[in-house]
């Protein structure tokens, strides 16, 4: 029997599960350590010396430092994360609303319509209808421009 086969027989299944559990726990501890460090650095309520104290505590005595931080500030840590996530979602929603509504005003759209009419791409009647739509707020100038391109191409 060679050495690899012997190792397979010498390392029982329960040992493999135990090794996987240990690796999983180490990975989870590192994830928790990084979350604690990030939370300490992002917390606006702490002054510089308090942040430095927590970081030194977590670096010098890592297991104890992380455990104490989670016990003392764990609840607030979750609240800060939730608040930060909500603020990011609100910023994203505001950006999407702004982008979906279009960044141009009615004046810009009317100027574009006038330019399209001057080029002869739309007739005066199409310009008047598109202008009414823009002023009433029911449609952007692009719809009128698309509608007008078909008639100008005829």
């Amino acid at each position: 029997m060679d050495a690899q086969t012997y190792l397979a027989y010498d390392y029982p299944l329960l040992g493999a599960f135990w090794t996987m559990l240990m690796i999983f726990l180490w990975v989870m501890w590192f994830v928790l350590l990084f979350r604690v460090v990030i939370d300490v650095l992002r917390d606006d309520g702490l002054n510089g010396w308090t942040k430095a104290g927590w970081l030194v505590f977590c670096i010098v005595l890592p297991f104890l430092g992380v455990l104490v931080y989670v016990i003392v500030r764990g609840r607030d840590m979750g609240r800060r994360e939730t608040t930060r996530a909500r603020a990011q979602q609100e910023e994203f929603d505001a950006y999407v609303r702004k982008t979906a509504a279009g960044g141009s005003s009615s004046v810009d759209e009317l100027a574009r319509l006038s330019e399209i009419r001057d080029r002869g791409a739309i007739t005066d009647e199409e310009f008047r209808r598109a202008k009414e739509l823009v002023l009433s707020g029911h449609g952007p100038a692009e719809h009128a421009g698309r509608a007008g391109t078909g008639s100008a191409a005829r």
Side-chain angles (χ1 to χ4, degrees), residues 11-104:
Y11 199 64
L13 185 60
L14 187 59
F17 286 135
W18 180 251
T19 302
M20 288 190 319
L21 178 66
M22 287 290 118
I23 291 171
F24 174 75
L25 290 176
W26 270 102
V27 169
M28 290 306 297
W29 182 81
F30 275 112
V31 168
L32 184 61
L33 174 68
F34 289 130
R35 293 224 23 191
V36 164
V37 169
I38 288 171
D39 186 64
V40 167
L41 295 175
R42 284 184 175 172
D43 189 5
D44 293 333
L46 297 176
N47 63 21
W49 289 107
T50 310
K51 288 181 182 186
W54 276 114
L55 290 176
V56 167
F57 190 36
C58 288
I59 292 171
V60 172
L61 299 170
F63 289 109
L64 185 62
V66 168
L67 182 65
V68 169
Y69 186 85
V70 170
I71 290 171
V72 172
R73 299 180 48 91
R75 180 175 293 170
D76 293 335
M77 187 174 158
R79 287 182 186 148
R80 282 187 297 276
E81 186 66 30
T82 303
T83 304
R84 191 174 303 114
R86 283 186 183 144
Q88 284 179 344
Q89 184 65 40
E90 287 171 4
E91 287 176 16
F92 177 75
D93 291 344
Y95 172 75
V96 168
R97 271 189 244 100
K98 177 184 165 198
T99 305
S104 62

Side-chain angles (χ1 to χ4, degrees), residues 1-12:
M1 223 188 274
D2 63 358
Q4 288 181 341
T5 308
Y6 180 72
L7 179 63
Y9 284 109
D10 192 38
Y11 199 64

